[in-house]
Amino acid sequence: MFLSTVVALCTAIIVSWVGVVSSTPTRNSHINYTTVTGYFLQDEASTNTSTFSFINTNFGLINRTYATDATYDPNGKKTQWQRFENQVFRLNRGSGRKVQYKLLFMGRHGEGYHNAAESYYGTPAWNCYWSLVDGNGTVRWDDARLTPQGVKQALAVNTFWASELKNQKTPPPRSYYTSPLTRCLATANLTFSGLQLPSRHPFVPTVKEFFREGISGHTCDRRGTKSYIQQAFPSYKIERGFTETDQLWQAYHREVQIDQDIRSKAVLDDVFSTDSETYLSITSHSGEIASLLRELASERVFTDQDRELVQSENAERIRPRARQFASQFHPKQSHMMAVVYALDDYYLAITLLITIAYQLFFFSIAFSLKFDKLTDFAGGTNFVVLAIITLAFSGHHHARQIVCSLFIMLWGARLSGFLLFRIIKTGKDDRFDDKRDKFWSFLGFWVFQMIWVWIVSLPVTILNSPNVTKFNQPAFGTGRDIAGVILFAIGFILESVSDIQKYQFRSKPENKGKVCDIGFFTWTRHPNYFGEIIIQFGEYLRPASRDGANCLLAIFMIAVSPSAYGYVTGGAFSAQYAAILGAFFLTLLLMFVSGLTLQERPGAKKRYESGNHWESFSRYTKRTSILIPFPPQLYEPMPTILKRTLFLEFPIYVFDPAKHADQSKVRDREAEEGNNERRQDEQGGQDGHANGQ
């Protein structure tokens, strides 16, 4: 069931709808709406539609009790709206997956110059001549603007909303929609701007083509260009597929009522199928609101303000209506690819199954042939496979999806390619010396790799999923997008170049055992890890990966932009932010599991006990940041407390010879070095004696 209310210069209604599968119906859903009475005066037969005022009647909400009051408000201190909001919450919670309630605040625009012109010239003259021209030489009414009176009307509703929010605790809309005609765009702005709204649900309306007035040859029904709307109302979102020029308006052509009703049904189905919020605002026109109310099964239409509760139900796979809206009213659909729904609407299950199958395939080869060369290759290329599949499934190839998917593919391909090249050169991977012949131990590594790939891919997986792509997207190029691209570039360069620098350094025989302190390693001991973390968070800004930390930061920033800018709401909003788990997982992995913890203290211990360039290594660690790049001249004299906190060189990484070294090994090594020195001295003495003779 859906709760729908129409407000000032608007109408209110509670309706019930029947649609297809799951709690979120698709565009192919068949949705029936049913008005739910008993909540608003607008539904009462005794209410006079010509004199009714929503401002004087608390939006028309009937002063009554609800069955839920006994537990929610036993002391009677809650407002009528607070108790009603709880009632709606209880209705939705107990309605099951196929029934939902929504409350619609449907508002008509304030007076426009076309309204004033019709009043001035009279309806016959208006319809016969003046409505067909752009203006009278003094005033224009094509895509009419608001008159001063219209502005005053909208501001009066704004004042009423402010009072309702403060005194009655009326739940504000969570999502906003508006007709593309200027008088509605302006009315919505004047009505809701400046109100104390929830930070997670700011006033950022979506402009939808089908919420426009009934289309006729009147020039006031012709909308402005998309570019004009973007320039005049830059904070507004414009629905996907919205054309630059008006493709629906034609001179000397009128849309008949049945076509308008079909259009209204289509836009209602679209909103109810993609918006999970309960409280919605629609700013439209008197004729269009009347059409919406007919589709919402409302029997009464108010000329000013009205409320109505609507029940909507999601049925089991009912075929769409035979009555389809004319194709010319669907300019955007021909440009879309079909969305693939696979197991769940976030692609979590399908990507997990693909990852498991992909890793088990390579595991079977590696274990059977005792072959190390495909292990890291399987991990890196798995990211590429998941990105390609989810992008192909999504059906909506927005620039942000393409960029994020390409970034993680580029990162995964580079990582797997480099590690494959390195293992071919070295011949084997020392990590598996104690696991290669043990089935369960070796499988355990591959299971961990499955988890790593799947979790780190989450930002891109969810960004490409139907539950996110069904929402409009902000145009690519936001500040968050730009920051993410820059971070990815920095992280990718850090990770790639540092891998090459270390490989080239260690390839030279004269550098055997020496400390790699060249290039990026001059400023940080682990530039590749720092690069990887930036890639992940910046792509979440987007998603990312394993050996470079900077790349993580970049992927998160980009991927979460639709939610960060208010385009994605509800469960998809939460899912996008929850996907930061991928970036955090990789960061924790690098810092506390398989990265720094296995290299810092163990590496220092090994060098100290073996005497392998220990003095130079000790000096290197004192002057070089462990992770965050920083000038060594400034890092070395830095107080230890700053190194241990701000620069993340935690005590678990620090090697103390007195505490952590095996002193017996040190003594054995020193004894062996002493014996070697004596033998060299003896050999030198014998050579000198022989030369003397």
Side-chain angles (χ1 to χ4, degrees):
M1 289 180 126
F2 274 87
L3 179 63
S4 160
T5 297
V6 183
V7 181
L9 303 176
C10 68
T11 300
I13 181 170
I14 296 187
V15 179
S16 159
W17 59 270
V18 182
V20 203
V21 290
S22 86
S23 58
T24 303
T26 67
R27 292 182 184 277
N28 293 324
S29 299
H30 180 59
I31 302 176
N32 290 334
Y33 303 92
T34 303
T35 298
V36 181
T37 60
Y39 290 94
F40 293 98
L41 293 171
Q42 293 91 316
D43 297 317
E44 300 300 302
S46 59
T47 301
N48 188 331
T49 61
S50 63
T51 61
F52 173 79
S53 170
F54 73 99
I55 290 180
N56 297 329
T57 57
N58 197 20
F59 276 132
L61 185 63
I62 296 174
N63 186 15
R64 51 160 288 190
T65 59
Y66 309 113
T68 56
D69 289 351
T71 55
Y72 175 69
D73 186 29
N75 299 321
K77 295 184 178 181
K78 303 292 185 182
T79 68
Q80 184 69 46
W81 268 106
Q82 287 176 308
R83 292 187 289 109
F84 173 74
E85 183 178 16
N86 180 65
Q87 169 73 358
V88 175
F89 171 76
R90 298 290 180 179
L91 287 172
N92 273 322
R93 192 171 73 169
S95 62
R97 296 181 61 195
K98 299 196 172 79
V99 178
Q100 296 181 7
Y101 293 82
K102 287 187 184 292
L103 180 65
L104 307 183
F105 294 90
M106 292 192 285
R108 175 185 175 270
H109 61 79
E111 182 189 65
Y113 279 102
H114 65 307
N115 302 126
E118 183 177 1
S119 297
Y120 179 77
Y121 290 111
T123 299
W126 170 257
N127 286 333
C128 291
Y129 175 75
W130 290 108
S131 65
L132 306 178
V133 297
D134 291 345
N136 61 7
T138 302
V139 175
R140 295 182 63 95
W141 47 72
D142 57 318
D143 189 16
R145 275 58 171 169
L146 294 179
T147 66
Q149 177 63 20
V151 171
K152 183 178 179 181
Q153 291 169 343
L155 291 176
V157 178
N158 177 275
T159 300
F160 175 68
W161 260 112
S163 174
E164 287 287 296
L165 294 172
K166 179 180 179 180
N167 300 321
Q168 298 299 324
K169 312 301 180 185
T170 303
R174 269 44 170 193
S175 297
Y176 300 83
Y177 298 93
T178 178
S179 157
L181 295 171
T182 297
R183 51 193 180 272
C184 288
L185 300 171
T187 297
N189 185 56
L190 293 169
T191 300
F192 294 105
S193 291
L195 297 177
Q196 296 298 313
L197 300 173
S199 59
R200 282 191 57 181
H201 302 285
F203 171 64
V204 182
T206 298
V207 180
K208 296 192 76 68
E209 187 82 85
F210 287 2
F211 277 135
R212 64 193 296 168
E213 181 60 293
I215 303 168
S216 70
H218 296 189
T219 58
C220 59
D221 295 335
R222 184 181 65 222
R223 69 164 171 85
T225 64
K226 179 179 180 181
S227 298
Y228 156 73
I229 297 173
Q230 291 173 324
Q231 181 178 3
F233 302 91
S235 65
Y236 286 20
K237 297 181 292 185
I238 298 180
E239 67 176 334
R240 187 191 302 273
F242 194 88
T243 57
E244 173 63 21
T245 58
D246 192 343
Q247 302 294 307
L248 304 184
W249 184 87
Q250 299 178 39
Y252 310 109
H253 172 78
R254 175 177 291 276
E255 178 185 35
V256 297
Q257 179 175 302
I258 188 172
D259 282 345
Q260 182 177 3
D261 289 352
I262 296 173
R263 168 165 63 85
S264 298
K265 177 66 163 59
V267 71
L268 283 172
D269 288 356
D270 180 48
V271 169
F272 281 23
S273 298
T274 59
D275 196 327
S276 60
E277 298 296 343
T278 300
Y279 299 92
L280 311 179
S281 166
I282 300 172
T283 304
S284 188
H285 313 260
S286 58
E288 175 58 17
I289 289 175
S291 176
L292 293 171
L293 291 174
R294 286 193 294 271
E295 290 303 313
L296 293 173
S298 174
E299 296 180 359
R300 313 184 74 213
V301 178
F302 282 59
T303 56
D304 183 22
Q305 302 285 327
D306 197 9
R307 292 263 176 180
E308 197 163 335
L309 184 59
V310 180
Q311 171 188 352
S312 135
E313 190 176 334
N314 224 4
E316 297 281 354
R317 284 286 175 196
I318 299 176
R319 291 184 60 82
R321 283 184 179 183
R323 182 179 71 166
Q324 296 293 329
F325 193 33
S327 60
Q328 65 265 29
F329 290 110
H330 294 284
K332 65 181 183 179
Q333 291 186 356
S334 61
H335 302 291
M336 291 185 180
M337 297 176 61
V339 178
V340 177
Y341 293 86
L343 300 182
D344 66 81
D345 289 347
Y346 289 109
Y347 291 156
L348 301 180
I350 188 64
T351 53
L352 179 60
L353 292 175
I354 291 172
T355 300
I356 292 173
Y358 194 79
Q359 294 301 312
L360 287 179
F361 171 76
F362 283 101
F363 163 75
S364 62
I365 298 175
F367 182 75
S368 300
L369 303 179
K370 304 299 183 284
F371 194 61
D372 295 344
K373 293 181 175 59
L374 294 179
T375 307
D376 288 320
F377 176 81
T381 55
N382 204 155
F383 288 101
V384 179
V385 170
L386 295 185
I388 292 174
I389 290 175
T390 57
L391 182 63
F393 280 5
S394 71
H396 301 278
H397 297 154
H398 189 275
R400 183 171 294 99
Q401 293 175 267
I402 296 173
V403 169
C404 286
S405 300
L406 285 177
F407 275 7
I408 201 169
M409 285 189 274
L410 180 63
W411 174 84
R414 188 218 69 86
L415 178 64
S416 58
F418 173 76
L419 295 178
L420 178 62
F421 170 80
R422 190 176 67 180
I423 194 66
I424 290 175
K425 290 292 184 180
T426 58
K428 70 183 185 70
D429 193 330
D430 295 338
R431 293 176 299 171
F432 306 121
D433 288 346
D434 61 342
K435 300 181 180 69
R436 197 175 292 109
D437 298 320
K438 301 175 182 177
F439 179 87
W440 294 111
S441 297
F442 196 43
L443 178 62
F445 171 85
W446 287 83
V447 170
F448 187 81
Q449 183 157 273
M450 295 173 194
I451 297 171
W452 166 65
V453 170
W454 184 76
I455 292 179
V456 172
S457 293
L458 284 177
V460 166
T461 298
I462 292 175
L463 177 67
N464 289 338
S465 70
N467 265 4
V468 172
T469 58
K470 71 183 181 182
F471 291 95
N472 293 316
Q473 304 286 315
F476 186 79
T478 66
R480 185 177 290 268
D481 293 329
I482 294 171
V485 171
I486 293 173
L487 282 172
F488 179 85
I490 293 173
F492 191 79
I493 291 172
L494 269 173
E495 187 176 358
S496 304
V497 174
S498 61
D499 279 342
I500 295 172
Q501 288 173 340
K502 177 175 277 190
Y503 177 79
Q504 291 178 338
F505 180 86
R506 289 182 172 177
S507 297
K508 298 178 180 179
E510 63 270 23
N511 290 333
K512 184 177 181 180
K514 290 184 179 180
V515 179
C516 180
D517 57 359
I518 63 171
F520 290 140
F521 291 90
T522 304
W523 285 48
T524 168
R525 283 148 36 201
H526 301 280
N528 53 337
Y529 289 173
F530 184 72
E532 189 160 337
I533 292 172
I534 288 182
I535 286 177
Q536 290 300 321
F537 281 102
E539 210 174 317
Y540 207 150
L541 282 189
R542 279 181 353 92
S545 112
R546 173 178 172 185
D547 251 10
N550 272 354
C551 295
L552 277 182
L553 181 57
I555 296 178
F556 175 79
M557 288 188 72
I558 299 174
V560 82
S561 287
S563 290
Y565 287 97
Y567 283 71
V568 173
T569 60
F573 176 96
S574 301
Q576 282 217 291
Y577 275 100
I580 198 174
L581 174 65
F584 277 119
F585 179 79
L586 180 58
T587 302
L588 293 174
L589 185 67
L590 293 175
M591 295 188 66
F592 302 110
V593 181
S594 64
L596 300 180
T597 52
L598 296 183
Q599 296 197 35
E600 282 296 311
R601 183 183 289 178
K605 181 176 182 291
K606 185 176 180 180
R607 282 186 179 273
Y608 179 79
E609 292 174 351
S610 64
N612 183 11
H613 297 86
W614 165 250
E615 294 299 331
S616 61
F617 179 79
S618 180
R619 290 193 301 270
Y620 175 68
T621 57
K622 290 178 181 178
R623 70 173 184 269
T624 310
S625 170
I626 187 173
L627 186 63
I628 303 173
F630 203 73
Q633 300 87 347
L634 300 178
Y635 187 80
E636 185 170 12
M638 185 181 294
T640 301
I641 184 64
L642 293 181
K643 294 181 180 180
R644 298 287 185 271
T645 54
L646 185 62
F647 283 84
L648 309 179
E649 192 165 353
F650 303 132
I652 60 173
Y653 306 136
V654 179
F655 172 70
D656 183 346
K659 295 180 179 179
H660 306 126
D662 186 339
Q663 297 301 327
S664 63
K665 291 183 179 180
V666 176
R667 288 192 295 270
D668 291 343
R669 188 254 303 166
E670 291 175 344
E672 181 63 26
E673 290 176 350
N675 292 334
N676 290 337
E677 290 177 0
R678 284 194 294 274
R679 284 195 293 270
Q680 290 174 0
D681 291 341
E682 292 173 358
Q683 184 64 39
Q686 292 174 1
D687 292 343
H689 179 69
N691 291 334
Q693 291 183 348

